[in-house]
Amino acid sequence: MHEINRRTLLGGTAATALGLGLAALPGTAHAAGGRRPTGRVPRGAISIQLYTLRDLLSQDVEGTLRSLAAIGYRKVELAGTYGLTAAQFRRVLDRHGLHATSGHISLAEDMAPMFEDCVTLGHRFAVVPWASFSTADEWKKLADDLNAAGRLARRYGLRFGYHNHSQEFQRLPTGEVPYDIITSRTDPRYVHLELDLYWAVAGGRDPVELIRAHRHRVLQFHVKDRAADGSFADLGTGTIDFPRIFSHSREAGVVEYIVEHDQPTAPLTTAEVGYEYLRAVRFPRR
């Protein structure tokens, strides 16, 4: 599997909170709408996007994965295999009790080799992480390509999805919105949504409203926090009301909560803060 060249639209320096106790993490006992916070994120649903740790992984795959396992992670989402073959990377994961249940991949004319790697790595989900076009016709072509890839993915036992940034929510000169094109033109049987909560908010959208518009299609959350100045933040240290969003998880269909930070200054600190936040957060059941 080849590296994914992820582009970043907003910058910033994370505020870290490794030394904070769980009671100090905002949102861990927040009750949205005044309801008693009885819901929680299942440990088995917690994952992390390895793009967060790309600098460490490029230097030491084995040690970085060992550290994630020591934090408590059992699932990860890939964005490349850092010079290793799919089989080699799978062996490292297995040694540390980690499961790469999801991976970011690129669209290609021949998707079969990538899907074969996904199967080798143990993926359940394969997700396209990035697209940016200036015309509605290009977005429509993307949606058609996602449908075709999603149909093929089913043959490999994979769920195929699309991950948003903020550009999908910006209105085109024709008045159309790319996210609306993607969601209306793709078949929910073949293309699910990996909703990046940070980028949805950065794009001016309320994640809860997106969930309501696409019930049972949002199988994965990218759980990424946003500081008051718009930069990235470690989970629980920013402004996004995750308990409010998580209270709609059943409505969304979410089965994975994936920690991510695009520009961490201390990646393992970010990973630990994110894991502990998801373990501690409580929210109303709906």
Side-chain angles (χ1 to χ4, degrees):
M1 181 177 289
H2 300 290
E3 291 292 321
I4 303 300
N5 183 17
R6 301 272 309 274
R7 295 174 60 186
T8 301
L9 300 182
L10 293 178
T13 301
T16 59
L18 180 61
L20 296 177
L22 294 184
L25 292 177
T28 56
H30 177 72
R35 298 187 180 187
R36 184 178 179 184
T38 57
R40 62 188 303 170
V41 176
R43 181 181 178 186
I46 298 174
S47 182
I48 185 168
Q49 168 52 253
L50 294 187
Y51 181 74
T52 304
L53 301 109
R54 59 196 179 278
D55 293 339
L56 297 179
L57 286 161
S58 66
Q59 301 170 26
D60 183 3
V61 170
E62 184 99 32
T64 304
L65 295 180
R66 181 189 303 115
S67 295
L68 288 177
I71 289 170
Y73 286 99
R74 295 297 176 263
K75 291 183 177 181
V76 298
E77 181 179 54
L78 271 59
T81 54
Y82 301 91
L84 301 179
T85 66
Q88 289 170 334
F89 203 93
R90 174 66 182 271
R91 286 194 288 272
V92 181
L93 290 166
D94 289 347
R95 278 198 293 273
H96 299 291
L98 294 170
H99 304 280
T101 55
S102 185
H104 279 186
I105 65 173
S106 299
L107 281 173
E109 186 172 340
D110 182 9
M111 296 295 296
M114 273 188 272
F115 288 151
E116 289 167 3
D117 279 352
C118 288
V119 171
T120 298
L121 287 160
H123 290 354
R124 178 183 178 189
F125 302 103
V127 180
V128 172
W130 169 268
S132 185
F133 302 106
S134 58
T135 69
D137 285 343
E138 289 173 301
W139 285 106
K140 290 173 184 176
K141 173 63 164 55
L142 170 68
D144 293 342
D145 290 343
L146 292 173
N147 272 330
R151 285 191 291 269
L152 179 61
R154 287 280 291 268
R155 300 181 191 175
Y156 288 86
L158 297 166
R159 298 296 301 267
F160 188 73
Y162 182 78
H163 166 278
N164 64 281
H165 284 75
S166 62
Q167 64 269 22
E168 289 89 348
F169 304 110
Q170 307 309 309
R171 199 169 294 277
L172 298 168
T174 58
E176 295 168 278
V177 176
Y179 203 72
D180 294 341
I181 293 173
I182 291 170
T183 55
S184 64
R185 199 173 177 95
T186 54
D187 189 328
R189 294 176 298 175
Y190 303 122
V191 182
H192 75 272
L193 304 175
E194 181 177 73
L195 183 59
D196 189 300
L197 304 177
Y198 172 98
W199 287 119
V201 172
R205 300 297 292 271
D206 179 357
V208 171
E209 292 305 315
L210 292 172
I211 289 167
R212 288 173 174 163
H214 306 291
R215 287 180 171 87
H216 308 299
R217 194 176 180 183
V218 183
L219 303 187
Q220 298 168 288
F221 278 155
H222 263 203
V223 190
K224 185 190 308 179
D225 214 342
R226 189 170 190 261
D229 64 0
S231 62
F232 303 106
D234 287 350
L235 293 193
T237 70
T239 61
I240 295 179
D241 187 349
F242 292 115
R244 173 177 173 267
I245 297 168
F246 292 172
S247 70
H248 295 270
S249 292
R250 289 183 178 179
E251 183 180 4
V254 173
V255 295
E256 287 193 340
Y257 299 71
I258 304 169
V259 174
E260 189 182 33
H261 190 309
D262 287 20
Q263 296 179 342
T265 56
L268 284 174
T269 296
T270 290
E272 184 164 0
V273 170
Y275 180 82
E276 295 299 342
Y277 178 84
L278 290 182
R279 290 286 289 154
V281 67
R282 299 292 182 267
F283 47 90
R285 292 186 183 274
R286 292 181 183 272

